[in-house]
Amino acid sequence: STRRATPGEPVEAPRVLVVEDDDASAELIKLKLVNEGLNVARVRSAEDALEEAALRPPDLIILDIILPGMDGWDFLSRIRTHETLSHIPVVIVSILAEENMNKGFSLGAAQVLQKPLDNEELLGALSVVGGLGIGGGEPVTVLVADDDPKAVELVSLHLEKSGFEVLRAYGGSDAIEM
């Protein structure tokens, strides 16, 4: 979704919106992303993120869950139903990542990472998301398995919007076969 340049015009760096209320965490994430050649904007609340994303849709959103006002879960639910923002990959970065990983993926997060982050972890997640020019952006295939067909379709659609190739299995035996 990065804007393509016309001949003689430079290509715009991919835009990343960091939604983080903690200044120290935001600065570390921003520094890592800027060093990778990305254009980074930072907001402190989910409400500001909705406004910023609607004005200038980013190529990726990095989202903390514990935010003042609207939390990250509400934000993620809202953008997943927003006509022009639903395709944007979201990487959750939270102190609560481990216990909320399933919830994050079910709401359409592309990656869920635990704070504090190290450089390799963040860059690895971004290369999996792809499309940002980090790590080659090779397509990643994900097997989605569940005995509830609606759950398989919901998770698969979110993953496909984030650039993953998806294999669908509607039960454990199908997953093992695949």
Side-chain angles (χ1 to χ4, degrees), residues 2-173:
T2 301
R3 188 177 62 84
R4 298 284 176 230
T6 56
E9 181 186 10
V11 175
E12 217 174 273
R15 288 191 73 248
V16 178
L17 179 61
V18 176
V19 187
E20 172 64 73
D21 63 321
D22 180 73
D23 291 338
S25 292
E27 196 54 39
L28 284 172
I29 292 169
K30 184 175 180 178
L31 191 63
K32 291 173 187 176
L33 298 175
V34 168
N35 285 341
E36 292 299 317
L38 302 173
N39 181 356
V40 180
R42 183 258 180 136
V43 293
R44 289 178 168 81
S45 72
E47 292 86 352
D48 289 345
L50 286 172
E51 190 176 310
E52 175 70 19
L55 287 173
R56 293 183 299 174
D59 297 294
L60 173 74
I61 296 171
I62 295 185
L63 176 67
D64 187 15
I65 295 300
I66 302 171
L67 296 166
M70 180 193 312
D71 68 15
W73 300 126
D74 287 339
F75 172 82
L76 191 54
S77 295
R78 287 187 190 196
I79 69 159
R80 287 299 168 235
T81 60
H82 194 283
E83 188 176 320
T84 58
L85 303 177
S86 63
H87 71 284
I88 299 171
V90 175
V91 173
I92 294 173
V93 177
S94 177
I95 197 124
L96 304 174
E98 280 190 32
E99 57 263 30
N100 289 310
M101 191 171 290
N102 289 338
K103 184 175 184 178
F105 288 131
S106 72
L107 288 174
Q111 293 281 296
V112 180
L113 303 175
Q114 181 84 27
K115 284 182 182 177
L117 283 179
D118 65 42
N119 225 16
E120 294 305 310
E121 196 175 18
L122 179 60
L123 297 181
L126 297 184
S127 69
V128 169
V129 170
L132 299 174
I134 295 173
E138 293 292 318
V140 174
T141 303
V142 177
L143 172 63
V144 176
D146 199 302
D147 59 350
D148 179 356
K150 289 180 183 176
V152 171
E153 291 308 314
L154 176 69
V155 172
S156 296
L157 288 173
H158 287 301
L159 288 169
E160 287 169 341
K161 285 180 182 178
S162 295
F164 293 95
E165 293 180 17
V166 177
L167 300 174
R168 292 167 169 83
Y170 300 96
S173 58

